Amino acid sequence: MADFYGVSERIIDKKGRAFVPKSLRVSLGSEIILIRQGNSFRIYPKEMASQFPSHQILMVKIDPWGRLTIPSKLVKVVFPTRRIVWYGRGDHLEIR
């Protein structure tokens, strides 16, 4: 399992896409899981999905250009300014 550290800021475009920092894409792979926690999401590689209840997991693909698409209803609630910050938290990532 990868270790995630550091902070990176991005902007969510009008289609709900945000670039995943290249250094993180290598460790995450092309599919990830999002778990909402209040006004943020925890992000784990797809291989970790079995550790969480299926009703909590949102499976998301990172496109070939390195973008993560966040569902529009979540963008409006969690990211109203369209600003996204990636935080490395050791065994997972957090976006706010």
Side-chain angles (χ1 to χ4, degrees), residues 51-88:
Q51 297 184 20
F52 302 98
S54 60
H55 70 277
Q56 289 183 343
I57 295 174
L58 176 61
M59 296 291 283
V60 179
K61 290 186 179 189
I62 297 174
D63 72 18
W65 298 273
R67 299 173 300 193
L68 162 73
T69 300
I70 301 167
S72 61
K73 66 180 180 179
L74 296 177
V75 170
K76 291 175 185 175
V77 173
V78 180
F79 307 104
T81 64
R82 303 190 89 72
R83 181 178 156 266
I84 185 171
V85 181
W86 296 80
Y87 297 93

Side-chain angles (χ1 to χ4, degrees), residues 14-67:
K14 293 185 189 284
K15 294 182 180 179
R17 301 173 302 196
F19 279 99
V20 178
K22 188 174 184 176
S23 60
L24 301 176
R25 277 185 266 150
V26 173
S27 299
L28 286 171
S30 62
E31 289 187 80
I32 59 175
I33 58 173
L34 299 179
I35 299 174
R36 185 167 178 197
Q37 299 220 309
N39 285 337
S40 67
F41 288 93
R42 287 182 175 221
I43 298 176
Y44 296 89
K46 175 186 165 184
E47 295 75 30
M48 304 268 310
S50 64
Q51 297 184 20
F52 302 98
S54 60
H55 70 277
Q56 289 183 343
I57 295 174
L58 176 61
M59 296 291 283
V60 179
K61 290 186 179 189
I62 297 174
D63 72 18
W65 298 273
R67 299 173 300 193

